[in-house]
Amino acid sequence: MKLYSYYRSSAAYRVRIALNLKGLPYEYLAVNLRQGEQRAAPFRAINAQELVPVLCDDRGAFTQSLAILEYLEERYPEPALLPHAPEARARVRAIALAIACDIHPLDNLRVLQYLTRTLGASEEAKDNWYRHWIELGLSALEAQLAADPATGPFCHGALPTFADICLIPQLANARRVPLPLDAYPTLLGIEAACAALPAFAAAAPARQPDAV
Ligand SMILES: N[C@@H](CCC(=O)N[C@@H](CS)C(=O)NCC(=O)O)C(=O)O
């Protein structure tokens, strides 16, 4: 398998974690988002959306990190990254989607660049925007997870799932702003549980070949 990735891309980080958890080796192909390589012809030919990640294997080139997670889960079911019961699967997917659909897109590089380059927002205003949407999303997740007995050492019980795979990269993004995370003890506890797993540790931005 080949993964088009960027070390700081939280969407690619999700796929790196999933591949590691499932023990699937892959070749890392760096796309430098800061230098705009996602908009250059060679990468556009692979993904017209100009976004990483893209996962390529013997069956095709797959985009959208959540679709890639679902693909990996269906093709390589063990270890499972979704629980068995339908209601549990819905809970895990809801947590993952709250991050991937409601937090992350607002803080994507091209959105931030549009704020500063097109709308003329200052760096400070841009950072406030970034913090605002992460705080809003993480506060809701903290309340939701803290109140739910289904939460365990991980977002759902005792094993990592899609929910943790989305949460950990989002917390890494929050730290980059930086945003204090003391208000999210449940999320930090889950982060500690994930950090203890080599699959998560090896997927971290600083461990990627293009990290600077
Ligand atoms: N919904 C997409 C989001 C992908 C995405 O936003 N990727 C970012 C990096 S985290 C990107 O490639 N940004 C390039 C840009 O903004 O120009 C997914 O989950 O795969």
Side-chain angles (χ1 to χ4, degrees), residues 64-98:
Q64 291 293 334
S65 60
L66 269 293
I68 295 170
L69 297 192
E70 296 280 356
Y71 172 71
L72 292 173
E73 187 71 359
E74 286 168 13
R75 196 162 171 200
Y76 307 96
E78 299 298 331
L81 300 178
L82 284 171
H84 185 67
E87 62 277 17
R89 293 163 85 85
R91 178 178 183 269
V92 164
R93 287 187 171 117
I95 297 167
L97 292 171

Side-chain angles (χ1 to χ4, degrees), residues 6 8-15 31 33-34 36 38-39 43 47 49-54 63-68 100-101 104-105 107-113 173:
Y6 178 60
R8 275 184 158 174
S9 159
S10 56
Y13 191 173
R14 296 172 196 150
V15 177
V31 181
L33 301 185
R34 283 281 159 199
Q38 71 277 30
R39 291 187 289 274
F43 184 73
N47 185 7
Q49 292 171 355
E50 303 177 358
L51 299 169
V52 294
V54 179
T63 61
Q64 291 293 334
S65 60
L66 269 293
I68 295 170
C101 299
H104 174 261
D107 289 335
N108 196 3
L109 180 64
R110 63 187 180 181
V111 172
L112 301 179
Q113 286 177 342
N173 277 0

Side-chain angles (χ1 to χ4, degrees), residues 14 94-105 138 141 163 166-168 170:
R14 296 172 196 150
I95 297 167
L97 292 171
I99 296 164
C101 299
D102 296 340
I103 303 177
H104 174 261
L138 292 186
L141 277 178
C166 289
L167 176 65
I168 299 314
Q170 192 57 58

Side-chain angles (χ1 to χ4, degrees), residues 168-185:
I168 299 314
Q170 192 57 58
L171 291 176
N173 277 0
R175 285 207 168 82
R176 271 175 50 206
V177 197
L179 174 73
L181 297 176
D182 313 337
Y184 314 116

